[in-house]
Amino acid sequence: MLLIEQGVGPGARTVTAAAAVCLTFGAINTFVAGAARLGAALGRDGALPGWLAKGTGTGRVPRRSLLVQAVLTGALLMVVAAAGTELDLLMQITSAFLATVTAAGMAAAVALLPRRRPLWWLAVIAVAFTLLVLLFSTWLLALPAVVAAAAMLYLRVLPREPGNSGHREAEVEPSPQRT
């Protein structure tokens, strides 16, 4: 903001701050909605408890998944506030998680795309750059590793139904009637 204020003038600070708030809320809204749908889909597919699956149908709201997300976010906020965690550390932790997810996604692209094609090479380059970014996360990489280990442990101890690969079919909700 300071650069824009110096380059354009003092009024630019307010406009820039307003634009930043709007862009941030847009990104947060998208993230929350996506995470809620992901929780419901994972419940539907058996990777999370099946009661989270409600709301996966077209036009439905995954309220249970949203509630779990809100409770976990509130609990984390209380822990962060009680610990007096600095904003800088929170941003580093978030970056470590995002870079880890990006690296895993790009590694999946390398495994799934046809070998030695332009997109495959781009995925290889993306993995390399993301791993380079991850090097700067140092000890913070332990956090995504703990979450990944907990997820793998959960999937390992998840009760399997006979004749099922672990994916439980959720009750399919009817689409809302439009009038």
Side-chain angles (χ1 to χ4, degrees):
M1 276 197 293
L2 293 176
L3 286 175
I4 292 175
E5 183 179 14
Q6 287 178 354
V8 178
R13 175 177 260 193
T14 304
V15 172
T16 304
V21 167
C22 289
L23 291 171
T24 301
F25 278 123
I28 289 172
N29 186 41
T30 302
F31 177 77
V32 169
R37 292 235 175 257
L38 175 63
L42 290 172
R44 178 198 65 215
D45 295 344
L48 286 177
W51 59 267
L52 280 173
K54 187 172 173 100
T56 57
T58 304
R60 299 289 183 171
V61 178
R63 286 182 178 86
R64 291 178 181 175
S65 183
L66 273 170
L67 178 62
V68 169
Q69 185 178 352
V71 168
L72 291 176
T73 300
L76 183 60
L77 181 61
M78 286 190 279
V79 168
V80 165
T85 307
E86 298 280 328
L87 180 60
D88 184 55
L89 179 59
L90 291 175
M91 292 174 64
Q92 290 175 14
I93 291 168
T94 302
S95 296
F97 273 98
L98 290 174
T100 302
V101 169
T102 302
M106 289 296 102
V110 169
L112 296 173
L113 288 171
R115 302 227 182 273
R116 308 217 188 312
R117 303 278 176 120
L119 282 178
W120 183 84
W121 284 111
L122 288 173
V124 169
I125 292 168
V127 168
F129 278 116
T130 308
L131 291 175
L132 182 65
V133 169
L134 281 172
L135 289 177
F136 293 99
S137 295
T138 61
W139 68 271
L140 293 171
L141 290 178
L143 299 172
V146 166
V147 170
M152 293 172 74
L153 179 64
Y154 174 81
L155 289 175
R156 180 166 256 214
V157 299
L158 181 70
R160 310 270 181 189
E161 296 173 9
N164 193 345
S165 63
H167 295 289
R168 290 184 223 126
E169 296 299 322
E171 181 179 315
V172 178
E173 299 174 26
S175 295
Q177 299 296 323
R178 305 215 180 199
T179 55

